[in-house]
Amino acid sequence: MFPPTVVVGLHGTLHRHPWFDRVVTRDYDPEGSIEEEVLFLAVDRAGSYGWQTMGGLLHEDGEITAEHEPTAWSHEEVGGDWTQDGAVHELAWLGAGVHTDPPRPGIPVRPIALVLSETLARVGEVTFTGLHALLPLQATERDTAFHQIELAPWFGLADPDARHEVVVTVSCRPGEGGADEHDTAALCAAVQERAQEAADVTPAVAEGGLPGLDLALGRSVHTDGMREVIRFGCGTHEWSPDVAVWLVEATAEALRAAGRLAPTVVTASLAHPPAWPDGAVVR
């Protein structure tokens, strides 16, 4: 049986390096894609940080042995959309199995986001606009809320005059025991407690589309049937995959603490689309 699945996706625009096509060729599985081939480098990159994964095990030993169990996640699938049209796309995603026996430190959102970000940076210039994470909250028992509180001074060390408006959403399937709209006020208070003065959380945020995301919940078997149930805003002094992960993890810990353990998608994205230097707006 496969372990519970986590999926982390980075959204934005990508301008590939002019030399990219000269160093990446299609001498691989014709049924695959350049995106998949290159993004699998993220799995190897994880190994360089000491995060042993199933893919790394297979590459290193040729087989999986009891002496070399994964330390971060197991099976991996990757993908992305690098269409060069200036629009926001899901540039990179990685799905993996989360280990539950013995209990691991937590769902590996941050390490996955890090290696995906680093891989995209090898491909071209990225304008990051949003992050989504499918979180199997039932798979983790360890309380890591203290990590989010400890990181608040880190993100507080930023330009106090800078202001980024971020929208956070929570989606789940009806009837599975996940969050609902009645949890909004308590969830916002819990996230604010973790963020301290590094972010301003408000339940008042505009409805409608999310310009920083290219996300359709019905597009994946893992999220089919989910719908958005909570949306709130955050004002931050910086915008990066790092701060997006922080907001997603703070939200996840608040849900876990409230006993909302159904599989959940949490997103953090810019409230307004960025503009390129020539004045064109990213749609």
Side-chain angles (χ1 to χ4, degrees):
M1 174 181 288
F2 284 114
T5 297
V6 57
V7 179
V8 177
L10 303 184
H11 301 248
T13 63
L14 172 68
H15 285 237
R16 297 196 311 200
H17 294 309
W19 45 259
F20 179 79
D21 290 335
R22 292 162 50 199
V23 298
V24 178
T25 60
R26 292 183 176 274
D27 55 352
Y28 54 91
D29 182 359
E31 299 299 322
S33 69
I34 287 179
E35 288 90 341
E36 291 176 358
E37 180 188 29
V38 175
L39 287 169
F40 259 113
L41 294 176
V43 177
D44 296 328
R45 183 67 172 167
S48 72
Y49 286 109
W51 302 320
Q52 188 67 70
T53 71
M54 192 69 77
L57 292 172
L58 293 171
H59 178 74
E60 179 181 341
D61 299 328
E63 62 180 9
I64 303 169
T65 64
E67 291 77 19
H68 295 86
E69 292 185 357
T71 60
W73 56 78
S74 58
H75 65 284
E76 303 102 355
E77 295 178 292
V78 298
D81 183 353
W82 298 347
T83 303
Q84 299 292 284
D85 60 1
V88 168
H89 294 288
E90 186 177 359
L91 301 177
W93 60 268
L94 188 151
V98 176
H99 297 278
T100 59
D101 186 22
R104 304 298 171 116
I107 301 172
V109 178
R110 185 171 298 281
I112 291 176
L114 175 61
V115 294
L116 288 179
S117 296
E118 292 182 334
T119 305
L120 287 173
R122 306 296 296 181
V123 176
E125 298 296 327
V126 176
T127 298
F128 171 69
T129 61
L131 179 147
H132 85 274
L134 168 63
L135 305 170
L137 296 176
Q138 77 283 5
T140 179
E141 298 178 359
R142 183 182 178 190
D143 181 358
T144 61
F146 64 95
H147 288 311
Q148 318 318 323
I149 296 173
E150 287 178 336
L151 280 174
W154 174 276
F155 293 110
L157 191 63
D159 181 356
D161 296 326
R163 177 79 178 186
H164 301 273
E165 298 299 334
V166 181
V167 178
V168 176
T169 71
V170 176
S171 299
C172 56
R173 294 185 183 91
E176 289 191 349
D180 59 42
E181 58 273 11
H182 301 296
D183 295 320
T184 301
L187 183 64
C188 287
V191 174
Q192 184 66 78
E193 180 181 4
R194 289 159 174 75
Q196 301 182 40
E197 297 180 357
D200 298 320
V201 180
T202 173
V205 63
E207 298 296 325
L210 298 169
L213 296 175
D214 174 22
L215 177 65
L217 296 174
R219 199 160 59 194
S220 167
V221 65
H222 299 299
T223 57
D224 189 35
M226 290 189 174
R227 64 177 180 86
E228 181 184 317
V229 294
I230 292 176
R231 177 183 295 209
F232 60 92
C234 291
T236 64
H237 297 299
E238 76 167 76
W239 175 245
S240 63
D242 197 17
V243 76
V245 169
W246 179 55
L247 294 174
V248 166
E249 290 190 328
T251 303
E253 277 299 333
L255 290 169
R256 194 195 63 79
R260 300 298 197 175
L261 302 181
T264 301
V265 170
V266 181
T267 75
S269 62
L270 289 175
H272 309 288
W276 287 99
D278 61 4
V281 175
V282 177
R283 296 180 299 277

